[in-house]
Amino acid sequence: MTASDTRAAPQGDSLSTAPVVAVRDAHRDYRMGQEVVRALRGVSLEIAPGDYVAIVGPSGCGKSTLLNLLGVVDRPTEGQVLIQGRDVGAMRDREATSFRLRNIGFVFQRFYLMAMLSARENVELPMAEAGMSAAARIARARELLDYVGLGARERHRPGQLSGGEQQRVAIARALANRPGLLLADEPTGELDAHTGAEIIGLFRRLNEDGTTVVVVTHDGELAAAARRTIHMRDGQIIPPT
Amino acid sequence: MIRTLAAASLRRHPARTILAILGVAVAGALLLDMVMLGTGMRESFRRFLLVQGFQLRIAPKGTLPMDTEATINGASALLRTLRTNPDIIAITPVLGAQIHVLQGTRAITSFAVGIDESTEADYQLEAGTNVAAPDHIVGNAAFLTAMHVHRGDTVDVVTGFDPQLRTYVGRRRLVVVGRGRFFYTSAEQPVAAVPLATMQAMGGPERADRVSLVLARVRDSANADSAAAWVDRTIPRVSTISTDAAMRQVDERMGYFRQLAVILAAVSLIVGFLLVTTLVTVSVNERLGEIAVMRAIGVRRVHIVQQIVLEGVTLSLVGAVAGLGLGLVTAHFLNAILSDFPGLPATFHFFLFQPSAAARSLGLLVIAGILAGVYPAWRAASLPIAGTLRREAIA
Amino acid sequence: MVSHRVALIAATCTLLATAAVIASAQTTSRVPAAVAARSIAIDERFAEDEHLKVGDRVVISGDPGAAATGSGDTAVIAAITKQGTDPSEIARDEYRVRLHLTDLQRLTGAADRVDRFAIRTAGGAAADSVRASINAAAFGFHAYRSIDVAVGTSRTFQVVSRFHHAIALITIVASGIFLLCILLLRVEERRRDIAALRLIGISRRSVVWSVVLEAALISVVGSALGTGIGWLGSLLINWHYRGVYRTPLAFALVTPNIVVAAVVLAIGLGVGAGFVAAMRLVRTPPLTLFGR
């Protein structure tokens, strides 16, 4: 499998050089009882196609909130979030869902695989949702499992796989519909150092094969593997010194 | 994939799923039984009344057909009057009375009806021939057993028997020509049919022109209730009851069973609904993280709802099918209990299986299953994705 | 033709089929003894439906339809009796008219005839010996013990009672499964709490005990609520059916035995389900409970 197999098909010549992600003065406030928590306070950022960005910072600095905005599972209170040139904050729920399905791959700290489905069925899930035929999605799920090194374990259920293997299945699932942007929230957070290193290697390979990757992490090694690191504190990006 | 996920979710806790299906099955069985009781009893009674196609029953004024020993005098004049109405196309008079069969010093009691030989009014012949001659008698199985007689035997029959003085009003030697299944008496009660003229003659001059009841058939195009009103108007000494009026009376008097059926059917529906709702709600609460992830990776809200509703539907559908079998078995058992009602006609059933009623009741259960799944499904699919994931990560 | 044996279906208001036992009737009002000789007693439903009162004159006849021909005898309503509480009669919707025996005999042309005699004996043993002597000596008679007659006439109710028991059995099975399911779910919902308790060193025994205790508590509270709802239900049922059948009979009774049976069943099922569910959970390693 090559880079073109894992990343999105080009959206058109005019967009090929435009940033995949453009965040402009994004704010995100939460109401917790009587208090308003200002999780993001005017974040702006651009990520070019093929980039590999690590977002780091102390707990509660707003990095997961930013990732949620990039993943179109949350919307800014103020400001604008453009993914592949589209203002995702203005999308209705149905449109946002469809956008996530085809353009964004998610990897979570706790893997979140469907416990009763096999590894292959887990990978098939987003493709089935996208309306792909059974034969086509089985073939692609096998390719992806081969890519993450789990070709032999397609019939295993998550409970029969190690943490690292589960995370690799989750990565294969995230790549299923050839997303333009792969987002990962602490992907090595639940793994030991050795397994974490394997996952770091996999992310690097994915990026080398052309996938735009954004990871939120505390893991210094994972952050070091990225091309670019963004530091955050108190809901803001700390400018590079 | 929705089906796979729903099935996978039900497989996750097999004991729980089986228990829920079992619960729905028992609730479904009770629902089916109660629908069978509520609608079947009425339908059975309607069939019972219409078994020979006579819609009108004409009885002595103020009485119900064969409910008392009262009789209508001047039967031939009554029949002549009835024949003048063009809407009445067939008439059959019946005279019921107690008879005794003398066997040595013993006198065995039985009920007997004098019928018009041209219509097989009260029974369906099981063996032999109908009463065709004045000395013919047809009995039910209980009659033949009680009298220790077989077809071809002769019986010594008396009416108006006084056991103290051993006197009687009329006496005949009659030949048993057939065995019949009598519609309106219980199977264990001895009952026999003889020609009406024989029955009237055996009653002496007092009974010569009397009948207990006249059955009348009304043209299909005519209204039975108007014909009944005409009879009551024209012949004031009789009361006429149409099948519809009898049904209304049954509805009124059997209200207890119908109301019991409605209450228990409602309770079983509620139990089924609560069971499925609880199970689906708990199952959804356990999977909030999974559901949020599915939404995050782009699974549409409607597909989440479909998957969860499908779980509820599967539980209620499988439960309903199992309930159908279980319900038929329990209905048989309950019908057997109620069949012990003293004097209940053999043709009457409290529980009557009607495919349409069964389909309706089990359909109702499946609809309850769908509704049971809709709320938890919609609630789960509407949860904010980011917030749910954060909460699940903390948990 | 409806057999008169279909007791529940029959509804008639004939004056004929009544036993003339006026002495046993419980009267609500009486008229002075000076009333004319041919006096009758009617039941309160009849009085209410036909707006009759003590002292009114009515025409009675043994011949149905006599009113149309103008024949029959005039009688004075001397008393209005309370409705009897014989369960076998509730569905018949009949009026009861009580006549002096001789009046009824004359009216029906059954001179010097009766359906039956009631005989009071000195005691149970005497009843048996009197019965035996009557059956041995009297030609054409048969004596029965009152209790046997009562059993025969209450067969309808025995059938209804058996039917109710069968229905109760089915509903108990249904509610048992329901209870089992709810409690299993409730315990399973708390698997993370239980895992946490196990991790901080609470013994399996204590965990099981706490779960069982909780299940028992829920069952007790549920039973108390259920008893209250059942009691209210019985009031409603009695009010409704007493109105429908116009009888003082009780259709639903919440007896101490029933309450005890229901509470024992609920607690038994609750504790059983709690125990089974708790045992399943404590046997699973705490970390697996967390990870599920």
Side-chain angles (χ1 to χ4, degrees):
Chain A
M1 185 174 283
T2 65
S4 63
D5 292 325
T6 56
R7 70 177 178 200
Q11 300 282 309
D13 287 346
S14 59
L15 287 174
S16 58
T17 52
V20 178
V21 173
V23 181
R24 288 170 195 158
D25 193 25
H27 292 252
R28 183 67 176 94
D29 302 337
Y30 294 108
R31 184 168 286 279
M32 290 184 81
Q34 295 294 312
E35 267 183 64
V36 174
V37 178
R38 303 185 65 195
L40 289 183
R41 309 173 184 207
V43 170
S44 295
L45 118 109
E46 281 196 0
I47 298 170
D51 204 350
Y52 181 175
V53 179
I55 303 173
V56 296
S59 291
C61 69
K63 52 189 190 301
S64 287
T65 304
L66 177 59
L67 197 76
N68 286 338
L69 293 185
L70 302 187
V72 203
V73 293
D74 200 0
R75 53 189 71 198
T77 318
E78 263 179 66
Q80 210 176 22
V81 178
L82 300 167
I83 312 286
Q84 292 175 340
R86 299 198 45 199
D87 183 354
V88 294
M91 286 179 180
R92 296 165 68 94
D93 179 77
R94 195 170 168 164
E95 203 183 345
T97 305
S98 171
F99 187 84
R100 286 198 298 273
L101 180 69
R102 291 166 202 284
N103 300 289
I104 292 167
F106 259 114
V107 178
F108 305 92
Q109 179 177 353
R110 299 182 66 183
F111 330 132
Y112 280 130
L113 298 173
M114 304 299 137
M116 292 300 291
L117 299 185
S118 68
R120 196 193 74 210
E121 285 169 334
N122 266 289
V123 180
E124 279 182 58
L125 185 62
M127 295 185 271
E129 181 66 17
M132 198 185 282
S133 73
R137 66 180 192 240
I138 289 172
R140 171 131 179 98
R142 283 185 175 143
E143 271 177 43
L144 286 166
L145 286 171
D146 279 340
Y147 182 78
V148 298
L150 288 174
R153 314 207 66 177
E154 63 167 272
R155 287 178 188 278
H156 288 66
R157 289 203 181 152
Q160 299 164 312
L161 300 172
S162 70
E165 286 171 330
Q166 286 187 53
Q167 194 59 300
R168 281 190 275 162
V169 174
I171 292 169
R173 178 179 68 183
L175 299 172
N177 285 330
R178 298 182 173 85
L181 181 62
L182 181 67
L183 305 176
D185 192 356
E186 301 281 8
T188 57
E190 299 245 329
L191 305 175
D192 60 51
H194 175 72
T195 319
E198 280 178 10
I199 296 298
I200 293 167
L202 184 55
F203 274 111
R204 192 180 292 140
R205 180 149 64 95
L206 274 169
N207 179 245
E208 283 164 5
D209 288 344
T211 307
T212 309
V213 180
V214 179
V215 293
V216 161
T217 186
H218 281 106
D219 183 342
E221 283 183 43
L222 180 57
R227 293 174 197 259
R228 187 150 72 96
T229 304
I230 293 172
H231 294 268
M232 287 188 71
R233 185 183 294 158
D234 298 333
Q236 287 176 316
I237 292 175
I238 304 168
T241 50
Chain B
M1 194 49 96
I2 287 172
R3 282 197 299 272
T4 312
L5 278 167
S9 170
L10 291 172
R11 277 203 313 270
R12 190 183 299 201
H13 299 288
R16 193 191 287 182
T17 303
I18 289 169
L19 210 55
I21 288 175
L22 212 60
V24 173
V26 178
L30 192 60
L31 176 66
L32 178 70
D33 287 351
M34 291 305 113
V35 169
M36 282 169 75
L37 178 66
T39 60
M41 193 171 52
R42 197 173 189 282
E43 176 60 21
S44 180
F45 191 71
R46 202 180 64 81
R47 288 186 194 175
F48 165 76
L49 289 179
L50 287 174
V51 63
Q52 308 141 281
F54 292 102
Q55 306 100 318
L56 300 186
R57 286 162 168 75
I58 300 156
K61 183 89 178 174
T63 69
L64 281 179
M66 292 301 224
D67 195 42
T68 69
E69 287 165 17
T71 49
I72 308 169
N73 202 4
S76 31
L78 169 76
L79 297 181
R80 272 198 304 279
T81 310
L82 290 176
R83 285 197 183 99
T84 60
N85 186 329
D87 286 341
I88 296 174
I89 50 171
I91 303 165
T92 183
V94 181
L95 175 62
Q98 197 175 60
I99 58 165
H100 285 83
V101 175
L102 302 181
Q103 288 182 345
T105 56
R106 292 200 314 150
I108 308 163
T109 315
S110 171
F111 184 72
V113 283
I115 57 162
D116 183 353
E117 301 95 294
S118 58
T119 40
E120 200 179 288
D122 261 47
Y123 62 87
Q124 190 177 28
L125 201 64
E126 288 177 330
T129 58
N130 278 322
V131 287
D135 64 341
H136 282 180
I137 185 167
V138 168
N140 68 351
F143 178 86
L144 302 185
T145 310
M147 310 305 162
H148 304 291
V149 291
H150 300 94
R151 272 190 295 131
D153 290 351
T154 302
V155 284
D156 190 2
V157 178
V158 293
T159 58
F161 185 68
D162 185 321
Q164 286 164 277
L165 306 174
R166 292 191 72 81
T167 57
Y168 49 81
V169 176
R171 182 174 187 172
R172 290 285 188 286
R173 293 186 69 77
L174 303 173
V175 181
V176 180
V177 292
R179 190 183 75 232
R181 191 170 70 95
F182 285 71
F183 305 126
Y184 306 114
T185 47
S186 68
E188 71 260 28
Q189 182 198 351
V191 58
V194 296
L196 177 65
T198 305
M199 198 69 179
Q200 285 175 330
M202 285 176 77
E206 170 72 11
R207 294 228 158 191
D209 196 23
R210 282 186 178 266
V211 290
S212 305
L213 170 74
V214 177
L215 298 168
R217 189 180 296 145
V218 177
R219 265 193 305 118
D220 287 343
S221 55
N223 183 320
D225 277 325
S226 341
W230 175 85
V231 177
D232 282 345
R233 231 179 14 252
T234 317
I235 315 162
R237 60 203 169 90
V238 297
S239 289
T240 309
I241 183 161
S242 67
T243 304
D244 287 346
M247 293 304 296
R248 281 194 293 275
Q249 257 181 8
V250 165
D251 281 348
E252 205 177 287
R253 302 316 304 166
M254 298 294 242
Y256 172 74
F257 283 103
R258 278 191 307 113
Q259 286 160 11
L260 182 80
V262 168
I263 292 167
L264 286 179
V267 168
S268 33
L269 253 187
I270 292 169
V271 167
F273 175 80
L274 283 180
L275 203 57
V276 176
T277 309
T278 312
L279 195 91
V280 173
T281 304
V282 171
S283 161
V284 163
N285 285 345
E286 281 175 352
R287 296 182 281 147
L288 287 181
E290 277 183 16
I291 291 166
V293 168
M294 282 172 66
R295 294 277 295 128
I297 64 174
V299 176
R300 281 166 59 191
R301 192 175 280 182
V302 64
H303 287 165
I304 304 270
V305 172
Q306 278 173 4
Q307 184 213 318
I308 295 167
V309 168
L310 192 62
E311 286 175 36
V313 171
T314 307
L315 285 176
S316 49
L317 201 64
V318 177
V321 171
L324 178 69
L326 193 63
L328 290 178
V329 173
T330 46
H332 182 75
F333 166 66
L334 293 172
N335 199 46
I337 291 178
L338 291 181
S339 301
D340 270 355
F341 258 124
L344 190 74
T347 43
F348 188 83
H349 297 285
F350 280 86
F351 292 83
L352 195 68
F353 180 76
Q354 291 171 285
S356 60
R360 265 203 313 276
S361 64
L362 297 181
L364 215 57
L365 193 65
V366 174
I367 290 171
I370 294 173
L371 294 178
V374 167
Y375 173 68
W378 189 250
R379 201 175 59 94
S382 307
L383 284 173
I385 302 167
T388 307
L389 285 174
R390 195 169 50 243
R391 272 195 302 279
E392 284 294 306
I394 293 163
Chain C
M1 175 166 60
V2 181
S3 165
H4 64 282
R5 286 153 196 85
V6 187
L8 279 168
I9 297 166
T12 176
C13 60
T14 176
L15 299 184
L16 259 180
T18 53
V21 209
I22 199 163
S24 67
Q26 186 186 350
T27 53
T28 52
S29 55
R30 284 186 180 280
V31 287
V35 144
R38 185 156 296 184
S39 57
I40 62 168
I42 62 171
D43 68 33
E44 55 192 359
R45 283 196 309 175
F46 193 8
E48 189 188 320
D49 291 354
E50 299 300 324
H51 309 292
L52 293 171
K53 56 185 187 302
V54 171
D56 282 358
R57 287 176 178 274
V58 290
V59 175
I60 56 171
S61 167
D63 185 17
T69 59
S71 62
D73 291 340
T74 301
V76 175
I77 297 170
I80 293 171
T81 59
K82 265 198 195 304
Q83 180 68 16
T85 52
D86 182 353
S88 64
E89 289 175 4
I90 58 157
R92 286 185 67 86
D93 197 21
E94 285 178 340
Y95 296 133
R96 286 282 156 148
V97 176
R98 293 161 202 274
L99 292 85
H100 292 287
L101 180 59
T102 48
D103 290 347
L104 185 63
Q105 284 171 335
R106 192 163 52 240
L107 199 68
T108 57
D112 204 24
R113 282 183 174 273
V114 293
D115 287 326
R116 58 179 176 261
F117 291 102
I119 299 171
R120 179 176 291 152
T121 59
D128 284 340
S129 62
V130 167
R131 190 164 66 96
S133 64
I134 291 175
N135 286 343
F139 182 69
F141 284 107
H142 195 87
Y144 301 90
R145 288 189 310 160
S146 300
I147 182 81
D148 296 336
V149 176
V151 166
T153 54
S154 63
R155 206 175 127 198
T156 303
F157 255 67
Q158 288 170 357
V159 170
V160 172
S161 173
R162 275 209 298 278
F163 174 70
H164 284 164
H165 276 102
I167 293 282
L169 188 73
I170 297 173
T171 46
I172 285 172
V173 170
S175 47
I177 292 175
F178 185 63
L179 192 64
L180 213 61
C181 219
I182 298 285
L183 278 164
L184 277 179
L185 289 176
R186 206 183 138 66
V187 174
E188 287 220 354
E189 232 181 0
R190 297 184 42 201
R191 63 179 194 278
R192 281 180 178 161
D193 300 346
I194 288 171
L197 289 175
R198 294 279 296 123
L199 281 180
I200 61 169
I202 308 291
S203 73
R204 281 185 177 154
R205 193 189 164 89
S206 303
V207 169
V208 171
W209 260 113
S210 74
V211 170
V212 166
L213 214 62
E214 186 190 322
L217 200 68
I218 291 173
S219 306
V220 168
V221 174
S223 311
L225 269 176
T227 306
I229 294 170
W231 179 71
L232 286 177
S234 73
L235 291 185
L236 194 71
I237 287 168
N238 283 333
W239 171 78
H240 175 70
Y241 286 111
R242 278 176 177 161
V244 168
Y245 292 116
R246 303 208 287 186
T247 168
L249 279 173
F251 285 77
L253 277 180
V254 179
T255 64
N257 283 353
I258 292 172
V259 172
V260 168
V263 171
V264 166
L265 190 76
I267 295 176
L269 276 170
V271 168
F275 182 75
V276 169
M279 286 306 285
R280 266 178 56 169
L281 288 188
V282 294
R283 279 186 187 147
T284 313
L287 287 176
T288 313
L289 290 179
F290 268 128
R292 262 164 76 185

